[in-house]
Amino acid sequence: MASIQTAVQVMVDKLVADMQGEQPLSAEEQALVSNAITKLADNEKLEQAVVAVAESHIDEATTALQQAAQVSQTSLQQAAQTLNDNGTALEGKAAKLDQLDGMAPSLARVEALQGRAFTNQIRPLFGMTSIESTGTDSALRRSTSVFAVYDHRGETYLVRPCYTYNANNEQCRLEFLSIDAEGASKTTLHSSYVYSNSFAQNPTNIIYYYGASAYLPLGSKDSPTDIEYDIVYSSQDSQATGIANYGGVYVRSQGYTSMTKPKQNVNARDQYGVVTDTSYNYAHTAVLYDNQKHCLVMVDESTSLLIEKYRDGNVVTTTAIANESELQAYVDNGDFTTIKLIHHYLNHPYGTRRLTGQEAQMSDASSYYGYFGVFNNTVKMAGNRYCAHYRFTADLKLEPVNYFFMSSSRAATTSGNATGAGEATVALESMSGELLGMYSYRSNPDTAGYHAGIMGNVIMCVNPYSHTGLLNEYYTHNYHGLGRTCRAF
């Protein structure tokens, strides 16, 4: 029995001949013929029917056509059923998808509650890496005070004041350091011996006792968002203690000659309620930080012009400030944070003793509570009494962090060899009241009859972004130099 392909080939040959004739087929007609041939070639039953007709086998043609019709009908019924089933399934899935819009707020609330529960957990801190020499020599004592900036990338930038001035021991140095996000190590940018009887204009190995410092993220003059951390000094201009000898503020990388003397007693309050301090008191200096330009801003004493201090130099603006009200108006129209510098010499910060309710410099065998920051309209930051804690957020804004602490210490006694013990808990809070993290640490000396150390500020700092920081009990069992990095898991 001849195949339909043969018949089709004959048809094609005739069509080709016609197309080459005087009246060839149009492009549209050619397309119709091509589609028809394809349909014919794809239907086996129809092919049999056409061939049977061509060979005059009418009965076979009828049977083949009926079979072709039945196959088509069955296929159509199956396709219809499949479409119906798929439609029903799609309708069910669509109904479920419609519920997602209503579920979104609930899911967001669940996520928020989970995040809050995670933040509310008190995380124990584990010591990781020793960062200084330890020993029984009291010259190895380290200050437990700190000026801290917590970078959103997880690094922490610190100023550690000296413990004993006029000393030549390494651990008595004023130190500017950073801790990596993993809490594995520290990097010291610079350190200086602190002397009350020696003065250097550009301090390299020594620095004057009568001054204060900070470690801040500063932009450059041409590119404010090109930010690097640098040291800021507030110092005298000569070896003297009097207010008349106050020199001003300068960035270390720019040197002493870039110093700007702020206009005395012309101050302003920032958005958090912290007032600048231009009293020329060597231990108390507070200056404005511009969160848009990432520079320090102060009114020059001699010209009354605003000066912007970047890490690569000063910019003298044309804005003149005559008094405090004009400076306050300027601050209110911008985005500023007051930075309070920490005194070069501060061995231990102050806290409130639990038994007396009086504020005192923290020591061992006593329990304390308190805060560093801004609380109940009272500011306790840096200077020569407190620690200072700031965070540099992901949107490149420098803002204070409230650092609440409480400690409990049990005194050691020689009679009965009762061993001292201590525990400290810290809570970090943003200026908007958001809890950033809670941490705890417990300490017991290795030998009976000794204290557990100064627990009020044993958690010197802890970065709420990376949960890494510094621990230092200061003194246990005749050992000093106990500073080490720490981490919460």
Side-chain angles (χ1 to χ4, degrees):
M1 186 170 59
S3 68
I4 193 169
Q5 282 84 353
T6 302
V8 169
Q9 185 62 51
V10 173
M11 185 187 302
V12 170
D13 292 341
K14 291 182 178 180
L15 286 171
V16 171
D18 290 341
M19 290 173 66
Q20 294 174 347
E22 295 179 358
Q23 295 181 338
L25 297 177
S26 66
E28 185 175 295
E29 290 171 330
Q30 293 180 44
L32 290 172
V33 170
S34 176
N35 289 336
I37 291 172
T38 301
K39 296 297 184 183
L40 288 171
D42 287 344
N43 195 315
E44 181 181 357
K45 296 299 182 182
L46 185 59
E47 175 184 351
Q48 294 174 2
V50 173
V51 172
V53 171
E55 295 181 349
S56 300
H57 296 290
I58 302 300
D59 293 338
E60 294 181 15
T62 301
T63 301
L65 287 171
Q66 290 174 345
Q67 291 176 350
Q70 291 173 356
V71 169
S72 299
Q73 181 66 25
T74 301
S75 298
L76 287 172
Q77 290 175 347
Q78 292 175 344
Q81 184 60 44
T82 300
L83 287 173
N84 184 61
D85 294 342
N86 289 340
T88 302
L90 285 173
E91 288 176 359
K93 292 179 179 179
K96 294 179 180 179
L97 288 172
D98 289 340
Q99 296 177 6
L100 290 178
D101 291 337
M103 292 172 63
S106 298
L107 290 172
R109 176 170 174 75
V110 169
E111 290 178 352
L113 290 173
Q114 287 178 333
R116 186 179 304 170
F118 180 73
T119 303
N120 288 343
Q121 292 177 351
I122 299 179
R123 303 181 181 90
L125 293 171
F126 297 82
M128 302 300 290
T129 305
S130 177
I131 62 171
E132 51 211 4
S133 302
T134 60
T136 58
D137 189 341
S138 63
L140 298 174
R141 292 176 292 182
R142 279 294 316 186
S143 170
T144 58
S145 304
V146 68
F147 173 101
V149 176
Y150 305 119
D151 192 276
H152 66 278
R153 295 168 299 184
E155 298 92 353
T156 302
Y157 295 85
L158 305 172
V159 181
R160 297 181 76 185
C162 76
Y163 183 87
T164 304
Y165 63 92
N166 292 342
N168 294 326
N169 183 271
E170 287 292 326
Q171 285 180 214
C172 290
R173 283 177 176 265
L174 167 70
E175 185 181 23
F176 304 90
L177 67 147
S178 63
I179 301 173
D180 61 34
E182 290 74 32
S185 63
K186 74 161 184 174
T187 300
T188 298
L189 174 67
H190 183 67
S191 64
S192 302
Y193 293 120
V194 177
Y195 293 110
S196 64
N197 53 8
S198 181
F199 178 80
Q201 287 190 328
N202 284 305
T204 54
N205 192 46
I206 64 172
I207 196 168
Y208 202 34
Y209 168 93
Y210 299 99
S213 303
Y215 198 2
L216 301 172
L218 296 174
S220 67
K221 292 185 295 183
D222 297 329
S223 180
T225 56
D226 179 15
I227 297 169
E228 295 181 11
Y229 281 79
D230 209 337
I231 299 168
V232 173
Y233 290 122
S234 171
S235 183
Q236 308 290 105
D237 61 8
S238 59
Q239 187 173 318
T241 62
I243 287 178
N245 299 99
Y246 177 71
V249 178
Y250 64 100
V251 180
R252 178 177 179 270
S253 61
Q254 288 305 301
Y256 186 85
T257 56
S258 68
M259 176 181 285
T260 299
K261 192 172 185 178
K263 197 166 188 176
Q264 189 174 16
N265 297 325
V266 176
N267 296 299
R269 186 182 303 273
D270 72 359
Q271 57 194 305
Y272 307 110
V274 183
V275 181
T276 61
D277 191 335
T278 58
S279 63
Y280 294 178
N281 184 316
Y282 64 84
H284 298 280
T285 301
V287 295
L288 293 169
Y289 178 91
D290 191 324
N291 285 300
Q292 299 300 318
K293 297 180 178 180
H294 308 296
C295 64
L296 299 178
V297 177
M298 57 195 70
V299 182
D300 182 65
E301 171 70 20
S302 59
T303 65
S304 295
L305 295 176
L306 280 176
I307 294 182
E308 300 171 347
K309 302 185 75 65
Y310 298 88
R311 59 181 171 80
D312 57 351
N314 299 338
V315 172
V316 180
T317 72
T318 58
T319 303
I321 301 293
N323 49 50
E324 284 194 339
S325 62
E326 291 185 7
L327 180 60
Q328 188 63 59
Y330 180 81
V331 171
D332 291 342
N333 287 326
D335 184 358
F336 293 91
T337 298
T338 297
I339 306 299
K340 302 200 73 171
L341 281 62
I342 195 166
H343 180 33
H344 291 162
Y345 165 69
L346 176 55
N347 45 28
H348 302 303
Y350 282 61
T352 302
R353 290 196 61 181
R354 184 178 67 183
L355 295 180
T356 65
Q358 301 297 313
E359 192 174 69
Q361 191 172 54
M362 288 187 274
S363 62
D364 56 6
S366 295
S367 299
Y368 295 90
Y369 64 91
Y371 68 92
F372 305 122
V374 185
F375 180 69
N376 195 27
N377 297 321
T378 302
V379 178
K380 295 183 178 182
M381 298 169 63
N384 62 348
R385 292 175 69 95
Y386 307 110
C387 294
H389 299 265
Y390 296 84
R391 67 170 179 167
F392 192 52
T393 65
D395 57 358
L396 306 182
K397 184 172 181 176
L398 193 60
E399 63 179 41
V401 170
N402 275 334
Y403 197 90
F404 296 96
F405 62 91
M406 64 177 182
S407 69
S408 178
S409 294
R410 183 181 68 198
T413 61
T414 54
S415 59
N417 287 330
T419 301
E423 184 173 1
T425 303
V426 161
L428 276 70
E429 181 188 60
S430 72
M431 288 293 100
S432 62
E434 175 191 4
L435 181 63
L436 302 176
M438 296 182 67
Y439 309 90
S440 68
Y441 178 74
R442 298 182 66 182
S443 175
N444 292 287
D446 296 333
T447 303
Y450 286 87
H451 297 301
I454 298 178
M455 299 303 296
N457 200 41
V458 62
I459 305 174
M460 296 177 64
C461 63
V462 56
N463 189 314
Y465 296 102
S466 59
H467 311 297
T468 59
L470 279 186
L471 294 173
N472 187 2
E473 292 97 329
Y474 168 72
Y475 173 82
T476 63
H477 185 40
N478 289 336
Y479 270 78
H480 303 268
L482 302 176
R484 59 206 181 278
T485 63
C486 65
R487 178 181 174 188
F489 292 87

